Amino acid sequence: MSLLDHYAQQLEQLKRTANLRQFQSNLQHGRMIQIHGQRMLNLSSNDYLGLASDVSLREEFFDLTPVTERRMSASSSRLLTGNFPEYEQLETSLSQAFGRAALLFNSGYHMNIGILPALADSKTLILADKLVHASMIDGIRLSSAKAVRYRHNDLAHLARLLEQYHDDAQIERIIVVTESIFSMDGDETDLAALVQLKQRYPKVMLYVDEAHAIGVRGEQGLGCAEQYAVLEQVDFLVGTFGKTLASVGGYLISHPLIRDYLINHMRPLIFSTAQPPLNMAWTRFMFQKMLQMQAQRQHLQQISQELKVQVEAKGYACPSTSQIVPVILGESEKAVQKAQQLQQAGFYIMPVRPPTVPQNSSRLRICLTAQIQSSELAQCVALL
Ligand SMILES: *Cc1c(COP(=O)(O)O)cnc(C)c1O
């Protein structure tokens, strides 16, 4: 038997259960995506405000940025020679908007697998929502902390765990890890209630990932923490530039002391070449545009609510309170078939299957952007 047979069998198994993943070549033009010659309305994008698909923004940015400043590589970590002015300029813009220190990372994935192991030692307990993103799960695994998961969005369960562990003398600190808007269910944590809970326990710190909320929530688009007025109460406020911000990279907003600590302890920050300075300049340009986009945020919220109501009217469970609207079907087979049918009708919606979501909760995952109109959604829902 060849050594490859083992891997071939695993792939076969995925194929049999309709769980095989493959790359798809695609072409994109504005709101449209083309795959195998089929042109469809893109309803699977994380480009929630439409910034990534807007060519005029790229033109404006490159007009402002001479070729001498278009640096395509940092050539080292920021701790060696990579700390170009673009990093500090972006961190300054973030600090001014959020009101605390900011630190940048190469991606949201790097951020979550790096910060948690740096912060959490064997005297730390991590309490994490059952549905947190894989990057946080990997960060927890890489840390030497004890970790316990609480039921998804169940703050009463979290409160019981806090009661149980808070007075344990072995535990010096407890970090509660959650997302604000969850990437697969499109539902959200009650951040105001979470902050109230934290304030009852002196050992507790909050780690909140706003990957799907930055740009989308709050008057200035700073996320759910802005919307619920708890920007200062979340100890570790993190997010990504790869979604609404139409760029790449991750950020942390926290106390300046934590920033200094991570610069000294966070391995993916220390041992990886920093993002190209050009990307940092682009992120800052995008961030400043995003702050002003109240009208787009409002439109997105409105069509999101409309879609949720329509999906529920069709008899499907829909936990969403955001621009991510899942249609939960159960079997992977069913989700794959339904997605194909919608794609043939011109709506690019992707099926999401285990292990990304729990067994028997395969779903269509509709992601709305501010460029979608109500009438288009009505046509799509009619096909469900
Ligand atoms: C997308 C995502 C990440 C990863 O961010 P990248 O910048 O794409 O690496 C982290 N956390 C959550 C909740 C996400 O949805």
Side-chain angles (χ1 to χ4, degrees), residues 107-109 111-112 133 135-136 179 183 209 211-212 240 242-243 249:
S107 74
Y109 186 80
M111 161 188 96
N112 285 331
H133 190 262
S135 54
M136 281 173 271
E179 290 172 39
S183 47
D209 187 336
H212 296 278
T240 173
K243 291 172 176 131

Side-chain angles (χ1 to χ4, degrees), residues 106-309:
N106 284 354
S107 74
Y109 186 80
H110 265 87
M111 161 188 96
N112 285 331
I113 65 160
I115 299 174
L116 290 168
L119 291 174
D121 60 9
S122 60
K123 291 182 177 146
T124 305
L125 171 69
I126 294 178
L127 297 177
D129 186 287
K130 189 79 179 76
L131 293 190
V132 293
H133 190 262
S135 54
M136 281 173 271
I137 294 172
D138 292 355
I140 293 167
R141 281 188 187 146
L142 285 170
S143 80
S144 37
K146 176 181 167 67
V148 177
R149 313 280 289 277
Y150 59 92
R151 283 195 296 273
H152 176 52
N153 254 343
D154 187 343
L155 296 188
H157 187 205
L158 173 61
R160 284 199 297 280
L161 291 171
L162 288 171
E163 276 305 316
Q164 182 181 339
Y165 289 107
H166 193 265
D167 296 329
D168 184 334
Q170 306 296 311
I171 295 170
E172 290 183 357
R173 67 199 68 74
I174 299 176
I175 304 178
V176 174
V177 174
T178 186
E179 290 172 39
S180 55
I181 294 176
F182 281 83
S183 47
M184 289 303 138
D185 283 4
D187 57 351
E188 67 192 75
T189 302
D190 183 342
L191 278 190
L194 185 64
V195 163
Q196 274 187 357
L197 186 58
K198 162 202 137 134
Q199 285 169 340
R200 302 215 310 255
Y201 298 95
K203 284 185 195 171
V204 176
M205 295 186 282
L206 295 183
Y207 187 101
V208 178
D209 187 336
E210 296 245 56
H212 296 278
I214 179 72
V216 168
R217 292 295 186 90
E219 180 66 16
Q220 290 191 279
L222 301 179
C224 292
E226 182 196 3
Q227 183 183 358
Y228 298 110
V230 294
L231 278 173
E232 276 152 41
Q233 284 79 34
V234 177
D235 303 86
F236 311 105
L237 186 64
V238 298
T240 173
F241 300 121
K243 291 172 176 131
T244 302
L245 270 296
S247 185
V248 64
Y251 64 87
L252 165 72
I253 306 299
S254 70
H255 193 285
L257 188 142
I258 295 293
R259 181 177 186 275
D260 291 344
Y261 177 85
L262 290 173
I263 291 170
N264 286 276
H265 284 92
M266 180 171 154
R267 296 172 67 84
L269 180 69
I270 300 169
F271 297 111
S272 183
T273 301
Q275 282 282 350
L278 180 67
N279 289 93
M280 297 301 107
W282 167 251
T283 304
R284 181 158 169 260
F285 175 81
M286 283 284 117
F287 182 73
Q288 268 148 0
K289 295 279 179 201
M290 178 285 284
L291 293 173
Q292 310 297 327
M293 298 184 80
Q294 285 84 6
Q296 287 87 338
R297 282 190 271 280
Q298 211 162 27
H299 174 69
L300 183 61
Q301 190 163 357
Q302 190 186 327
I303 57 172
S304 302
Q305 277 165 3
E306 285 172 17
L307 180 60
K308 174 194 164 76
V309 168

